[in-house]
Amino acid sequence: MFVLYSFKHYLLSCVSIYGNWSMSLTNRVWISDIQGALTVGVIVDYLHLWDLLSDVQLQPEVEDRHIGRLASHGQYSAKSAYESLFLGSTLFEPWERIWKTWAPPKCRFFVWLIAHNKCWTAERLARRGLPHPERCPLCDQKAETIDHLLGLYVFAREFWFRFFTQVRLQSLSPQPTEISFHDWLERASDTTSGLIRQGTNSLIILGAWTLWTHRNRCVFDGAAPSIAGALVIAEEEQRLWSMAGARGLSLLTAPTPGG
């Protein structure tokens, strides 16, 4: 027998099944088993269910079958029920480059904040009417946004070029035509593959974290912007990440044969 679960909410809240559908449908036993408050919604569901079951003819010789309408093969499974919870959800496109990349959790979380434009830059402070610097603390030329800070201005582009030159990937450094940090991250990641891609993603997260912490030292500690100083810190972090298990990063920094 085929049973359509159109009114599962009603069944779950008002009807206790005796063990199988045939016992509940025999002589319409399910009607006498209704429990709970008869709200307008319950009564409407009841009338719909009555219409649905009024023409059902039991076939005792045929075993009951559960049909999962959300499963491609028509069979109910825990997996199909779980996947139904995500119907209508939207895909966060850069999730894999963030959460599947080797990096300390705080750094991956930082890049996740970048993707959602949740970093407390001057632009974000201004939108909330909070005190903020009028210009970027590193270049003192343009308003500070997270994309500007991490790749769309001369300080960051010079940092990335010199940082990537150390691992012979300078061709992947951001160009003046880049629109956003994540667009560049996507382009750089898609240009490579395998362990090189993993290492490139780790390297970009490391560089972004270095620029952010360097910016914070300039804002809160009064430090002077210094590409050389940022590179020294990035190189040390790179060494520590490789020691901690960043295999892709270790591959990028390994000496070339005969080098």
Side-chain angles (χ1 to χ4, degrees), residues 73-247:
H73 47 69
Q75 297 296 318
Y76 170 83
S77 66
K79 179 181 178 181
S80 64
Y82 177 75
E83 290 176 343
S84 70
L85 299 176
F86 298 93
L87 291 176
S89 62
T90 57
L91 177 65
F92 178 58
E93 191 275 331
W95 74 270
E96 189 169 7
R97 285 192 298 274
I98 296 174
W99 303 116
K100 295 294 185 180
T101 295
W102 199 104
K106 65 179 180 181
C107 299
R108 285 183 288 172
F109 182 67
F110 168 64
V111 178
W112 181 84
L113 290 176
I114 296 172
H116 290 282
N117 196 24
K118 298 294 186 181
C119 296
W120 285 101
T121 58
E123 178 262 347
R124 182 171 170 81
L125 292 170
R127 281 192 281 117
R128 283 157 177 75
L130 299 173
H132 62 279
E134 293 298 323
R135 291 183 294 273
C136 171
L138 298 186
C139 73
D140 196 31
Q141 296 177 13
K142 296 185 177 181
E144 183 195 53
T145 67
I146 194 62
D147 290 321
H148 169 83
L149 181 67
L150 297 181
L152 303 186
Y153 77 118
V154 63
F155 184 99
R157 290 202 301 271
E158 177 67 17
F159 168 84
W160 286 116
F161 181 81
R162 292 169 61 176
F163 191 37
F164 274 32
T165 298
Q166 297 173 1
V167 293
R168 302 169 297 280
L169 290 177
Q170 59 270 26
S171 62
L172 298 182
S173 56
Q175 303 301 312
T177 55
E178 303 290 354
I179 298 176
S180 73
F181 172 80
H182 270 286
D183 286 345
W184 167 61
L185 173 56
E186 180 181 6
R187 177 181 67 81
S189 179
D190 291 345
T191 303
T192 56
S193 61
L195 273 178
I196 298 296
R197 172 179 291 178
Q198 295 178 30
T200 300
N201 291 343
S202 292
L203 197 69
I204 292 175
I205 292 178
L206 190 158
W209 178 251
T210 300
L211 285 171
W212 178 250
T213 55
H214 184 69
R215 173 261 188 195
N216 288 343
R217 283 191 294 273
C218 294
V219 171
F220 300 111
D221 300 333
S226 170
I227 293 177
L231 285 170
V232 169
I233 294 174
E235 291 169 14
E236 177 62 15
E237 283 292 307
Q238 181 177 303
R239 184 183 67 83
L240 294 175
W241 286 25
S242 296
M243 291 174 59
R247 294 173 56 229

Side-chain angles (χ1 to χ4, degrees), residues 5-15 39 41-42 45 49:
Y5 289 92
S6 299
F7 303 98
K8 58 184 178 182
H9 174 74
Y10 171 74
L11 293 173
L12 289 173
S13 61
C14 299
V15 181
T39 63
V42 169
D45 280 348
L49 191 58

